[in-house]
Amino acid sequence: MNEIIQGDALEMLQTLPSESVDCCVTSPPYYQLRDYGCEGQIGLEKSVEEYIDKLVAVFREVRRVLKRDGTLWVNIADSYAGSGKAKGQTTPFAKVQAGNKGITQGNLNVTPKCGCKQKDLLGVPWLLALALRNDGWYLRQDIIWQKPNPMPESVKDRCTKSHEYIFLLSKSRKYYFDTEAISEPAAESTLSRIAQNVSAQHGSERIPGKTNGPMKAVKPRYGGKKYTEDPEVFNRTKSGTLYDYAPRRNKRDVWTVTTKPFKGAHFATFPKDLIKPCVLAGSPRGGVILDPFAGSGTTGVVAAENGRKYVLIELSESYMEICKSRIREAIKELRDP
């Protein structure tokens, strides 16, 4: 594949064959945050309900083009209803309609139709996640993207926002997920626990009435037995099979990734370190990664750098050029390191 397609996400997705991609990693335009100057863009709807409905329609097509064991990873941020202090002023949407391009707006100056009051957090990420679940997706996990370097805020009645959501959704109950590809080094406390001489421990007493002996530290399983007496052996069973134990652990669901600006792209550029775990866990080497809101093309760059193919869709012609340029540069670096 390795395609970069210019056009509306929903319309272009309808041209792709069913069950043709392994994984989708994307970040749709955030609600009422920015005007990209493109007719038909998503994110400037008059109500959050209309915004969610449009995204559900796009991701319904994504589900069609995903293979049966495919996954969808969606990064999305939240918005606040306005404080009311700007009452009587032109709303962001009205400014856009009047032709004021390039606005940046995090708080709406109008009360949405979703029952929210002025100053309420809209809950956009969870509105989307639950709508996708209702539309047939399996909602598997919410992942927190924790930002050590968030955008500063001058608010005086709440904390500064320093996180966004990534939702993992699947097309089927059973799906491709490579846990080992994104596993993390085990903590020192885990290594210390494993090194203990369990058989020599007295353990702690259980609550009255329990007759199964004191509680002891748990070592890796081996051969179907709860403990192994051989401290040199750290093989354990997993679904009835044995494998070599390694001091690793499953990746946790809070990912600390710094934001990184990219010259020439909008401020919402995906960090490569945020996308890489999604690509590695969600697809085999040689698989196809889809991003229907490609932006500056970071998903395609990460796919190419990690032995995957890509299909990118982007509405903006200017960002299409950024996509092409970045991916050309990435491929050149891979060939001539």
Side-chain angles (χ1 to χ4, degrees), residues 152-170:
E153 295 183 279
S154 59
V155 291
K156 302 299 182 183
D157 58 355
R158 62 171 174 81
C159 302
T160 295
K161 291 183 294 182
S162 63
H163 78 282
E164 293 183 18
Y165 282 96
I166 301 174
F167 289 107
L168 167 61
L169 303 105
S170 64

Side-chain angles (χ1 to χ4, degrees), residues 120 295 297:
D120 270 344

Side-chain angles (χ1 to χ4, degrees), residues 100-240:
N100 181 13
K101 304 302 182 184
I103 66 163
T104 298
Q105 181 68 38
N107 296 326
L108 311 182
N109 288 329
V110 292
T111 302
K113 297 179 181 179
C114 60
C116 294
K117 305 171 292 302
Q118 289 177 340
K119 297 187 70 173
D120 270 344
L121 184 67
L122 298 182
V124 172
W126 281 103
L127 289 174
L128 176 61
L130 296 178
L132 291 175
R133 187 180 69 179
N134 290 339
D135 198 56
W137 289 94
Y138 287 83
L139 178 56
R140 293 296 296 131
Q141 189 164 40
D142 61 320
I143 296 166
I144 301 298
W145 170 19
Q146 191 268 324
K147 305 176 184 179
N149 58 336
M151 288 285 290
E153 295 183 279
S154 59
V155 291
K156 302 299 182 183
D157 58 355
R158 62 171 174 81
C159 302
T160 295
K161 291 183 294 182
S162 63
H163 78 282
E164 293 183 18
Y165 282 96
I166 301 174
F167 289 107
L168 167 61
L169 303 105
S170 64
K171 181 174 180 176
S172 306
R173 186 172 65 88
K174 294 185 177 180
Y175 52 92
Y176 184 92
F177 189 92
D178 190 347
T179 306
E180 298 299 321
I182 59 172
S183 63
E184 303 172 334
E188 287 297 325
S189 58
T190 300
L191 300 179
S192 298
R193 175 177 59 78
I194 291 171
Q196 295 179 75
N197 184 353
V198 175
S199 59
Q201 288 183 356
H202 176 270
S204 58
E205 299 298 331
R206 296 182 183 271
I207 61 175
K210 292 286 186 178
T211 59
N212 54 340
M215 291 185 290
K216 296 185 177 183
V218 178
K219 279 197 172 185
R221 294 178 180 272
Y222 174 63
K225 299 179 181 179
K226 190 171 184 181
Y227 305 122
T228 172
E229 300 300 328
D230 184 352
E232 300 300 322
V233 177
F234 293 117
N235 291 3
R236 57 174 173 161
T237 60
K238 182 179 182 182
S239 302

Side-chain angles (χ1 to χ4, degrees), residues 1 12 18 36 65 87 93 110-111 121 160 239 300 313:
M1 288 207 173
M12 296 302 102
S18 299
Y36 298 103
V65 303
K87 188 174 182 180
F93 186 81
V110 292
T111 302
L121 184 67
T160 295
S239 302
I313 301 173

